Amino acid sequence: MDLLQQLQQANYSGTALTGSEQVGYQQLIAGAIAIRLQYPQLQKQAIALHYTTLPSFLIALLAFDGWSSALYLLPETALDIPELVQQWPSETSVKQHSAMHSTIGSQETRWYLATSGTTGTPKWIAHTFASLSRAVKISVDQSTLHWGLCYQPTRFAGLQVLLQSMMSGACISDCSSGDAEQRIEMMLSSDVTALSATPSLWRQLLMTGRLHQLPLVQLTLGGEIADQGLLNKLSTLFPSARILHIYASTEVGVGFAVSDQKTGFPLSWLGTNHSGLAFKIDGQQHLWLKLPHTPDSNLAKRLDSEGYLDTGDLVHIQNDRVQFLGRDSGVINVGGNKVHPEQVEQVLLQIADVLQAKVYAKASSVLGQLVVADIVVVANADHSKLQPLLVEHCQQQLARYQIPTRFNFVDSLSTNATGKLSRKEPHG
């Protein structure tokens, strides 16, 4: 059953999204059927979908899933697609055909999503509607939520929020553009009650001083490591809310959610089947997952003989938890010693005056790479006094080679299109 058929069967009658215009579920369904009727020659074709507005994007998703053979969700960055793929919306209008063509989906569409490219070149990863919607929760409580969409809709994380909202009959508002202040304004005007964002964006929203004004009942963190300090702050602001941090990626799909408001995940999950997944850790501290579906063929070289997929994420066991260290590809090499940027950032964020931190490598002719930190601090912080405090704290918590050689005090930290801090070394 495709997405359109599922919504037709659910027969939701309420509002699907709000913003510049309010659109109901039945309007989305009617719009999708109209596209299929108007452009029958697109059936069984590969389509590249541009994002224009949220209503038109949702209608196109409904129209092309189960209708086209492949659906490429174009990110804002340039990424090659096959020449035979047709662009939608097209720059030139497609000739209208008879409206007597069948609207029943008859095939499984391959959804192609682009990886973030945080630590490398973006690439296309194939999914199906079934694999993308595996973690969707449908319940009465979910249907009453009003989601704020903070991720770009063509990205994996954004698509997860859209599918959760649509398939549960909830409402959603597009808050994926603008700075933190502008996004808070959008959320407040729409009475957003559910939000999914990266830890970096959650910190930016906290810095506005207005996050507590939102009537949030569900908070989700994903895309980056959620540190205990951030989880504690959000729990204090929203003591009655459901707070989850999710492990997922464009490559592996939806992994698992942790709801106990502790970093990492329980050690007891290793060697067991949890949420349809099996977990293990190899000798190089890589986390491996056995997925409930067949992963993209491009990932075949990362599968072992048992069908486990190397996630490329490094972890370590601490007491009764498995804690994330960061991406293997993001490790900083300081004279042969490995430094995990996220681990250093979590130490810096333990200082009360530090609001955001970004740790990255700087090329060194002697050691290969050096550790540098850009930090955002509270408005009235005395940099001359904070600098030695940072050094002393790092000396207590980190090995010598992990300590940043320089602290840059900056006004803000930019994030990439997926809401994550970029791990690439700044130019200049």
Side-chain angles (χ1 to χ4, degrees), residues 219-279:
L219 295 78
T220 303
L221 298 83
E224 296 173 318
I225 297 173
D227 66 276
Q228 195 61 55
L230 179 58
L231 291 171
N232 291 344
K233 287 179 183 177
L234 294 176
S235 177
T236 300
L237 281 183
F238 305 99
S240 301
R242 185 169 184 244
I243 301 177
L244 306 172
H245 57 98
I246 290 180
Y247 178 85
S249 72
T250 306
E251 295 177 324
V252 305
V254 179
F256 53 87
V258 182
S259 59
D260 61 8
Q261 298 184 23
K262 297 179 182 179
T263 59
F265 63 90
L267 179 61
S268 60
W269 290 7
L270 289 179
T272 64
N273 189 297
H274 180 82
S275 300
L277 300 170
F279 307 75

Side-chain angles (χ1 to χ4, degrees), residues 318-332:
Q318 184 176 8
N319 299 322
D320 61 346
R321 306 289 287 188
V322 177
Q323 301 286 356
F324 287 92
L325 294 171
R327 298 288 292 173
D328 177 55
S329 57
V331 169
I332 301 172

Side-chain angles (χ1 to χ4, degrees), residues 240-317:
S240 301
R242 185 169 184 244
I243 301 177
L244 306 172
H245 57 98
I246 290 180
Y247 178 85
S249 72
T250 306
E251 295 177 324
V252 305
V254 179
F256 53 87
V258 182
S259 59
D260 61 8
Q261 298 184 23
K262 297 179 182 179
T263 59
F265 63 90
L267 179 61
S268 60
W269 290 7
L270 289 179
T272 64
N273 189 297
H274 180 82
S275 300
L277 300 170
F279 307 75
K280 70 177 182 179
I281 302 173
D282 68 13
Q284 286 71 48
Q285 295 183 276
H286 283 222
L287 177 66
W288 292 69
L289 298 180
K290 193 169 186 177
L291 306 174
H293 60 272
T294 303
D296 185 284
S297 58
N298 291 327
L299 304 176
K301 62 183 179 181
R302 287 165 52 183
L303 292 173
D304 68 6
S305 59
E306 298 177 292
Y308 281 84
L309 175 71
D310 183 359
T311 65
D313 285 307
L314 295 167
V315 296
H316 73 114
I317 296 173

Side-chain angles (χ1 to χ4, degrees), residues 7 12-16 23-29 165-166 168-171:
L7 283 194
Y12 297 130
S13 58
T15 300
V23 181
Y25 276 94
Q26 295 308 310
Q27 288 175 268
L28 293 179
I29 291 171
S165 181
M166 277 200 297
S168 62
C171 186

Side-chain angles (χ1 to χ4, degrees), residues 346-377:
Q346 290 182 40
V347 170
L348 295 175
L349 289 166
Q350 293 171 4
I351 301 294
D353 285 350
V354 177
L355 302 176
Q356 287 183 290
K358 172 186 173 181
V359 171
Y360 55 94
K362 191 72 175 177
S364 167
S365 58
V366 178
L367 296 175
Q369 292 178 314
L370 296 174
V371 180
V372 177
D374 291 351
I375 56 175
V376 178
V377 298

